[in-house]
Amino acid sequence: MEKRVSLLLLFTVLILSGCLNADPLTEKESEPINYSSDHKNFLLLGVDSRGEEESRSDAILVARYEPDDHSMKIVSLMRDSYVKIPDYPFEYSKLNHAYYLGGQELLKDTIQENFGIKIDHTAVIDFNGFAAMMDILAPDGIEVEVSQQLIDDMKLDVTPGKQKLNGDQLLSYVRFRHDAKSDFGRVDRQQEVLVSIKDQVMKQFTTPEGLVKFPEMLKEVMNYVETDLNFEQAFSIGTSFLLNPITEIETLRVPVADSYENKSYNHAGAVLEMNLEENTEALKQFFNEVKKEEIMKPESDKEEN
């Protein structure tokens, strides 16, 4: 599950750099953040499925490319976040339940309504695609720190310490959660693999030989990802990334520390009940955004303040 997120992230790393000229954000009751015209937001979903029609999104990330400083910002939205789901009889449930109920569109609406984040594009990958895609993008594996607890739980045939893991092993690495950090540890590992993938992609495809192989590799990768981008769009964006590489990746986990409580409800089970105002403010600061009405305020009003 979390692996799929990493694959999506990998795919997004190839894609996001060229996502410029976003459409203006329309007014929403939830006072969405004002997003400028030089970036777009990608919803990246790692789906707990092997082809079944009904599944849940176990890895939920929003990624944004910042072209001015060649950086990418990744927000990991915890799947058990207790949020308001549009038109849901119980009104509130886990964030990943929105995907189960209504797929990508309902999840996008739920994220926008709760956090004010406009989603421009989506990318989805499941168990079947993750390992293959990881092996394509990082054929020599990704080096990570492997604990004995993880080895025992996921039945990996490696020794503790720094190890280079292949696609199948990395899937186990990002899915593991049976330690003190639970789902929070999975998010940390997911973000760790994302950063490593970015480095691997740059290493593999910025040479003359790599650039020649890039179109064929992209076609192969897109076989494992469900996205609303066509090949031409993905190729244009991926090429832009290779020519103008990301030099920094910033990450944020929502809910942020000390902003939630562990609760349980009969209709939803164990959830993270968050202070929505505090987390929305954290997102605004992370994305360096202000409310649209502040930007649109007349100059005379600004001077009075």
Side-chain angles (χ1 to χ4, degrees), residues 193-212:
V193 171
L194 167 62
V195 173
S196 297
I197 283 296
K198 187 268 294 186
D199 294 338
Q200 289 284 334
V201 168
M202 292 305 301
K203 184 178 179 181
Q204 183 179 176
F205 296 107
T206 51
T207 65
E209 296 81 5
L211 287 172
V212 170

Side-chain angles (χ1 to χ4, degrees), residues 1 26 33-34 47 57 59 75 91 100 146-147 156 163 182 190 233 238 249 278 283 295:
M1 344 171 151
T26 56
I33 302 164
N34 176 64
V47 179
S57 53
V75 176
E91 193 171 10
Y100 178 81
V146 184
S147 68
L156 293 180
Q163 297 290 346
S182 189
Q190 160 192 316
Q233 291 172 317
I249 295 179
E278 182 176 346
L283 284 165
I295 290 179

Side-chain angles (χ1 to χ4, degrees), residues 235-246:
F235 179 75
S236 175
I237 294 169
T239 302
S240 175
F241 166 71
L242 294 176
L243 297 176
N244 302 283
I246 293 168

Side-chain angles (χ1 to χ4, degrees), residues 4 47-55 99 126-128:
R4 300 175 185 132
V47 179
D48 183 11
S49 166
R50 288 181 172 82
E52 302 89 345
E53 289 188 9
E54 295 184 342
S55 57
Y99 183 85
D126 65 12
F127 280 152
N128 288 334

Side-chain angles (χ1 to χ4, degrees), residues 5 39 53 78 80 88 118 131 209 275 278 287 301:
V5 173
H39 56 240
E53 289 188 9
M78 300 296 290
D80 290 341
Y88 179 53
K118 177 180 179 290
E209 296 81 5
N275 181 322
E278 182 176 346
F287 285 133
D301 291 348

Side-chain angles (χ1 to χ4, degrees), residues 79-98:
R79 62 179 186 167
D80 290 341
S81 299
Y82 197 56
V83 296
K84 185 176 182 179
I85 299 177
D87 301 320
Y88 179 53
F90 291 100
E91 193 171 10
Y92 286 83
S93 190
K94 294 180 180 181
L95 180 60
N96 71 341
H97 197 203

